[in-house]
Amino acid sequence: MRKSRSLILGLALALSLPGTTALAAKTSADFKDLQDLDAATKAKIDALLSAGVFNGVSQDTFDLKSEMNRAQFAKVAALIFGLKVDSGLKMSSFSDVKPDDKGNGYALPYIEALKNAGIAEGYGGGRFDPAGKVTKEQLATFLVRGLGKDDDAKSAPGVDDQTVSDWAKGYVELALELKLLSNGADGKFGGGSNATRDLLVLGAYEAKEQYVPRGATPTPTPSPSLTPTPSASPSPSPTPSAAPPIVWPTPEPTSTATPTVQPTPTASSTPTATPTPTASPTPTPAPAITGLTVESGTVAGSVRLVYEAVSGNGLRFVHQPGPFVTPKVGSSAAEIGSEYETGADIRGVYEGEHIGVYEVNASTGAVVRFSDIALTAA
C-alpha cells in the first residue's frame, strides 16, 4: 500500500475503547529545535501543545523564530480566549479571507470570531490581510484586548518609548505590566518589528493564565456572622432566714488523731475510636461514541465527522500525531481543542494522525463520551 500525505478518499476508522492504554500527546521533546530551551519555557510550550493551541510546522520542527502572520494569530487567540468559533463557516466578512486559500483558509472561522469579539480588526476596503505580518505592538494590542482591558489601555499614560507608535503606547504599557511581552536587550520594545512565534507562544501562555471568561463574576467568600453570646439571667437572691442564737461550747482537750492519707485513684483513659475511612468513588472512563462515521472532506487534506450528539450535548475535537488517553466521565472539556459542528471540514490532518472527539454536556462542560479516530489511507 502506498502511503499518501493527502487524505482524500478511503479513510478507515479506529475507535478507542474505554480503558485502552494510549501514548502521551506530543511534547517539546519531539521537536529537535526546542531541545536547548530552558525548562520553564519548555513547560509553557508543553502546556500549549497539550491544550491543542499550538502545533509544529512539521513532525519534528517547531520553528520558534519564524515570523507569524495574522491568520496564525487568529487561531491561537480564539483558542486561548475561549471564543465561540463556528467551524462550519464558509463565508467571511472580509473580501480577502477565502476558505479555499491553501495557506490561510483554515483560519476563516477564527478570524470571524476575533472580529466579533472586538480583538482584531481589518484594514480599509474590507480586507483582513491574513498573510500579513503581526508587529510587536499589534500583538500587545490584541492580547490586551483579549483580556478585556481595552479601556484600561486607552486611559493609561503609555510607555515613553519612541519605538512604539502613539496609538499603541497604552497597550504596550499594559502588556509589559502584565508580563505578556517584554522589552528587548536594548531596553526598547521595538513596536514596529515583526513578532516571531516565540513571542506568540510566551504571550499566549501568560494571557491564557490570566484570562477570566467574559461575564464571569468571582464568587465572594461570605464573612462569618458572629453569634451573640446570650446574657446570663440573674439568679434570684435567696430570702434570708432568721439565724439561731450562737452558743459557744466550753472546749475540752482531746487528742488529735493523725489522718491516714488515702491514695488518689488514677482515672483510666477512655480509648479513642478510630474513624472508618470513607471510600472515594473510582472515576469511570468515558464510553466510546457509537454511530460516528468519518468521510473525506470537501478539499484535499481534510476529513469530516458525521454524528448527531444527544440533545443538549456538543462536540469538541483535537488532532495530534499519536493516540489519546481516554478521559474520565465528568472531566472538564472547556479548554480542550475546538468546538465542532457535524459535517464540517477538519483541515490539515495527515495519515497516521489521530482525532480525539469529545461529546460534551453543553450546560456543564463535562465529558459524556469520547472516541479516538486513527486516520489511515486505504
Side-chain angles (χ1 to χ4, degrees):
M1 181 186 301
R2 184 174 61 85
K3 294 187 176 180
S4 170
R5 294 285 289 178
S6 177
L7 300 181
I8 303 175
L9 297 172
L11 292 171
L13 171 65
L15 297 177
S16 69
L17 297 176
T20 301
T21 302
L23 299 176
K26 212 172 187 73
T27 70
S28 57
D30 297 308
F31 298 102
K32 61 187 179 183
D33 56 340
L34 300 181
Q35 302 309 304
D36 295 333
L37 295 179
D38 60 271
T41 302
K42 285 183 179 179
K44 294 176 181 180
I45 293 175
D46 287 339
L48 294 172
L49 286 169
S50 175
V53 176
F54 274 93
N55 295 310
V57 298
S58 71
Q59 291 295 329
D60 62 355
T61 304
F62 193 86
D63 200 6
L64 278 175
K65 291 304 178 182
S66 66
E67 295 177 351
M68 66 172 148
N69 62 29
R70 289 165 62 85
Q72 292 170 340
F73 174 78
K75 178 182 178 181
V76 171
L79 294 177
I80 65 174
F81 295 130
L83 303 184
K84 182 174 179 57
V85 177
D86 182 358
S87 301
L89 197 62
K90 302 299 181 185
M91 292 290 293
S92 172
S93 57
F94 298 104
S95 61
D96 58 345
V97 178
K98 307 289 185 182
D100 56 356
D101 178 350
K102 292 183 179 179
N104 302 301
Y106 73 91
L108 188 155
Y110 301 108
I111 290 171
E112 292 300 309
L114 252 64
K115 177 190 174 184
N116 294 336
I119 295 176
E121 303 166 352
Y123 294 102
R127 297 173 58 255
F128 185 81
D129 190 18
K133 302 301 183 183
V134 179
T135 65
K136 281 189 67 178
E137 60 190 26
Q138 288 173 340
L139 177 59
T141 301
F142 295 156
L143 293 175
V144 168
R145 283 178 179 169
L147 290 175
K149 297 183 179 294
D150 191 52
D151 291 339
D152 294 341
K154 289 178 179 177
S155 61
V159 292
D160 183 14
D161 187 337
Q162 298 305 310
T163 67
V164 179
S165 302
D166 289 341
W167 64 266
K169 289 186 176 181
Y171 294 101
V172 171
E173 179 181 329
L174 259 68
L176 294 173
E177 181 181 315
L178 297 172
K179 300 188 184 304
L180 304 177
L181 298 169
S182 59
N183 286 325
D186 60 354
K188 301 293 185 181
F189 187 73
S193 59
N194 291 335
T196 49
R197 274 168 59 89
D198 59 339
L199 296 180
L200 179 58
V201 168
L202 300 179
Y205 177 85
E206 295 299 334
K208 185 174 176 65
E209 290 293 292
Q210 299 178 39
Y211 176 64
V212 176
R214 299 178 185 197
T217 303
T219 304
T221 302
S223 301
S225 55
L226 298 177
T227 303
T229 303
S231 303
S233 301
S235 301
S237 301
T239 303
S241 56
I246 299 174
V247 179
W248 299 99
T250 302
E252 294 182 3
T254 56
S255 60
T256 303
T258 302
T260 303
V261 178
Q262 299 293 329
T264 303
T266 302
S268 302
S269 59
T270 302
T272 303
T274 304
T276 303
T278 303
S280 301
T282 303
T284 304
I289 298 175
T290 57
L292 173 66
T293 60
V294 179
E295 299 176 355
S296 297
T298 60
V299 297
S302 69
V303 296
R304 58 183 182 177
L305 311 178
V306 180
Y307 174 70
E308 289 296 331
V310 175
S311 177
N313 292 348
L315 295 176
R316 299 186 75 86
F317 80 93
V318 180
H319 66 89
Q320 66 183 31
F324 289 80
V325 175
T326 301
K328 305 301 182 184
V329 171
S331 60
S332 175
E335 297 183 358
I336 295 176
S338 305
E339 292 183 1
Y340 183 73
E341 182 177 343
T342 184
D345 283 347
I346 299 177
R347 303 188 181 198
V349 293
Y350 303 99
E351 175 187 352
E353 287 193 330
H354 288 243
I355 298 177
V357 185
Y358 301 77
E359 185 172 348
V360 180
N361 184 297
S363 60
T364 64
V367 173
V368 177
R369 279 175 282 276
F370 168 80
S371 283
D372 182 348
I373 301 170
L375 300 176
T376 60

